[in-house]
Amino acid sequence: MENNSLASDQQVLFYAGELAGIIGATCKGKLDTPICSVVTDSRLAEPNSMFVALKGERTDGHHHILEAIQNGARAILAEQEEKDIAIASIRNSGLVAEICLILADSPLSGLQYAAREYRRRHNLFRIGVTGSSGKTTTKECIASMLSACFPEESIAVSPGNLNSDIGLALAIFGIKPQHKIGIFEMGINRKGEMDELAKMYEPDIAVITNIGSAHVGIFGSRDEIAREKSKIFSYFNGQQKALLWEDDDYKVYLSSKVKGTVHYFGLRSTEGLGRIENKGLDGWRIEWKGLTLDFALPGKHNLLNACASLSMAILLDLDPILAVQGLSKVQPLFGRSQLCKGKITVFQDYYNANPDSMAAAIDFLSGVSSTNRKVLILGSMLELGKESDKAHRDVGFMVAGMNPEAVFLFGEEMKAAEAVLKEADFKGMLMYTTEMENLIDAVSNYIKEGDLVLIKGSRGMALERLSRVFEEKGLINLSDSSKGGHYAP
């Protein structure tokens, strides 16, 4: 990059010296350096971006400053204690005169403060979605509704699942002056994280899809998960609204933490619901406010996501006809309730897994009316801590109750499920392994045309490898799978 002149389509978020003052950092170099985008991955740096050097579990961003500069970054936010590494990288770039180095005690805190300040400069009505499961799908459903009811360019949506202490900050920098309504996901996997997310985003409406057991190994108990999730209401002043699931075990507790009005969603609470028809693999037909909605996401858990969205439509006083049109366009996201049809039918739900979503997936397949063989391929649920053994034994009990033709269990933790199935004298095909090659071989030898297959497990188990094998064998066509979502990456 020869210079950092602004392109015609670039919007300045901050100037480097201005940003340093906002976050209480020191500056070295060109104070009027424009910052037009913010990245934490040096490979994604572009002309006039600011690279934030963060220390992670596997890498240290300070060692990638030179690469970021070579890719176009002209502002560097680094840790004060790492200034020698940062200065050396800038000198090695040969672009010292064009760079501004911003030094903070904590680059992460600096990133978050900058995101909050940037967001506050925009007049954006903000919806935040959290929960142990269903938050990404619910976010996508609400976004699709909003895009049908308002000019699409006025809707800001956090991309993919950018929902963490880093991800939400980066998503906030995607807000543009034309955006009037924001729908952002807020996910946590450590104590104190929701405090940071709520401070950055300050939602006007906060949705909690449910309090389940996801990350219970990190938080210690569901009580603690509920306590952390409730902090999404931290910046309520009485004017905001909360939307909660009517049957959540923590409904009363969560309601008590809301300084504002509390509303509920569900089959009883979502106003205007009429007849609901379960279309199995093809989702649901829902009557709402005298209209008929064909909702493509199957399973009872997705029906609740639809209810949350319809309750949001009521809170926002959306045109019912347009809201239904928007919600009817929603398609499954990668690895989330994703249906692939071919010589076999594969229900892919392997983006994440916890006891609640595992139970929902098994219950869904159990309820599908079919004369074809039902095959479960289940991978370990991770991050459950001391609850892990019981949770995986419960999977065994659920599978035994369903009594499918075959069960393939993958991962150390699934040993507990295998033990339960053996104790229950399970009569179907049962296979347990910790080796993916063994799993692929066994599944490939068993599967035959017409089978209905569920693939479910935590993201870390990488069960999408099985779908690729099915495609290679001509059993499914992934390119024709039902996936995407209105705002999917």
Side-chain angles (χ1 to χ4, degrees), residues 20 48 131 161 209 249 256 311 353 359 370 373 389 397 436 445 456 477:
N48 297 312
N161 66 336
T209 58
D249 294 341
S256 73
S311 286
S370 174
R373 300 191 308 177
D389 187 69
F397 288 120
M436 177 55 74
N445 289 328
K456 176 70 179 174
N477 185 348

Side-chain angles (χ1 to χ4, degrees), residues 409-444:
L409 303 172
F410 176 59
E412 293 283 352
E413 294 81 359
M414 277 294 172
K415 188 73 176 171
E418 182 200 31
V420 168
L421 286 165
K422 285 182 174 178
E423 292 165 9
D425 197 24
F426 178 68
K427 302 297 186 191
M429 164 71 180
L430 175 61
M431 189 258 190
Y432 163 79
T433 183
T434 58
E435 300 295 330
M436 177 55 74
E437 289 305 316
N438 292 346
L439 179 65
I440 289 173
D441 288 344
V443 170
S444 297

Side-chain angles (χ1 to χ4, degrees), residues 298-439:
K300 294 176 184 176
H301 55 302
N302 281 318
L303 177 59
L304 288 176
N305 295 335
C307 288
S309 304
L310 294 172
S311 286
M312 180 63 70
I314 294 167
L315 291 184
L316 296 175
D317 196 25
L318 301 182
D319 182 319
I321 294 175
L322 295 178
V324 164
Q325 288 176 0
L327 199 53
S328 69
K329 294 178 182 177
V330 173
Q331 294 296 319
L333 294 154
F334 166 74
R336 292 182 168 96
S337 303
Q338 190 180 348
L339 195 63
C340 293
K341 293 182 178 179
K343 292 180 180 178
I344 63 173
T345 299
V346 181
F347 187 66
Q348 304 174 122
D349 203 355
Y350 44 58
Y351 193 85
N352 54 32
N354 57 60
D356 303 301
S357 65
M358 183 68 79
I362 294 171
D363 180 65
F364 163 66
L365 196 70
S366 179
V368 172
S369 178
S370 174
T371 57
N372 295 334
R373 300 191 308 177
K374 293 181 179 180
V375 180
L376 303 186
I377 305 172
L378 307 178
S380 293
M381 300 178 288
L382 305 177
E383 297 181 345
L384 295 182
K386 65 179 186 295
E387 300 292 327
S388 181
D389 187 69
K390 179 185 182 298
H392 286 87
R393 283 185 61 81
D394 286 345
V395 170
F397 288 120
M398 284 186 282
V399 172
M402 175 187 169
N403 198 30
E405 277 73 19
V407 185
F408 297 87
L409 303 172
F410 176 59
E412 293 283 352
E413 294 81 359
M414 277 294 172
K415 188 73 176 171
E418 182 200 31
V420 168
L421 286 165
K422 285 182 174 178
E423 292 165 9
D425 197 24
F426 178 68
K427 302 297 186 191
M429 164 71 180
L430 175 61
M431 189 258 190
Y432 163 79
T433 183
T434 58
E435 300 295 330
M436 177 55 74
E437 289 305 316
N438 292 346
L439 179 65

Side-chain angles (χ1 to χ4, degrees), residues 197-255:
L197 304 184
K199 187 175 183 179
M200 276 191 281
Y201 190 57
E202 297 179 302
D204 296 298
I205 300 180
V207 184
I208 300 183
T209 58
N210 51 56
I211 301 298
S213 302
H215 307 305
V216 71
I218 296 170
F219 294 101
S221 67
R222 287 182 70 211
D223 288 355
E224 195 60 35
I225 292 171
R227 188 172 295 112
E228 290 294 321
K229 294 283 188 185
S230 73
K231 292 176 182 176
I232 194 172
F233 310 129
S234 297
Y235 291 85
F236 278 23
N237 60 15
Q239 303 301 310
Q240 295 81 7
K241 298 175 181 178
L243 182 59
L244 309 175
W245 178 33
E246 63 187 8
D247 288 327
D248 200 295
D249 294 341
Y250 291 87
K251 179 178 71 173
V252 174
Y253 171 78
L254 294 172
S255 299

Side-chain angles (χ1 to χ4, degrees), residues 96-250:
V96 174
E98 295 182 28
I99 307 296
C100 187
L101 174 61
I102 304 168
L103 295 170
D105 291 337
S106 166
L108 175 58
S109 293
L111 172 68
Q112 293 173 346
Y113 271 104
R116 184 190 199 199
E117 173 62 23
Y118 178 74
R119 190 265 306 158
R120 284 185 161 185
R121 294 180 179 187
H122 294 78
N123 184 24
L124 187 76
F125 185 86
R126 300 172 302 280
I127 302 168
V129 183
T130 193
S132 294
S133 58
K135 53 185 174 291
T136 302
T137 300
T138 299
K139 177 204 71 177
E140 294 290 332
C141 290
I142 295 171
S144 192
M145 279 196 325
L146 292 174
S147 70
C149 296
F150 300 98
E152 193 163 339
E153 63 272 14
S154 69
I155 311 299
V157 186
S158 53
N161 66 336
L162 279 182
N163 61 18
S164 65
D165 51 359
I166 300 168
L168 179 63
L170 295 176
I172 285 173
F173 285 118
I175 296 171
K176 299 289 189 290
Q178 66 266 27
H179 289 146
K180 302 304 177 189
I181 303 176
I183 169 73
F184 283 62
E185 186 177 337
M186 303 166 75
I188 56 174
N189 60 16
R190 62 174 172 82
K191 292 182 179 180
E193 190 169 7
M194 185 58 80
D195 294 292
E196 298 168 18
L197 304 184
K199 187 175 183 179
M200 276 191 281
Y201 190 57
E202 297 179 302
D204 296 298
I205 300 180
V207 184
I208 300 183
T209 58
N210 51 56
I211 301 298
S213 302
H215 307 305
V216 71
I218 296 170
F219 294 101
S221 67
R222 287 182 70 211
D223 288 355
E224 195 60 35
I225 292 171
R227 188 172 295 112
E228 290 294 321
K229 294 283 188 185
S230 73
K231 292 176 182 176
I232 194 172
F233 310 129
S234 297
Y235 291 85
F236 278 23
N237 60 15
Q239 303 301 310
Q240 295 81 7
K241 298 175 181 178
L243 182 59
L244 309 175
W245 178 33
E246 63 187 8
D247 288 327
D248 200 295
D249 294 341
Y250 291 87

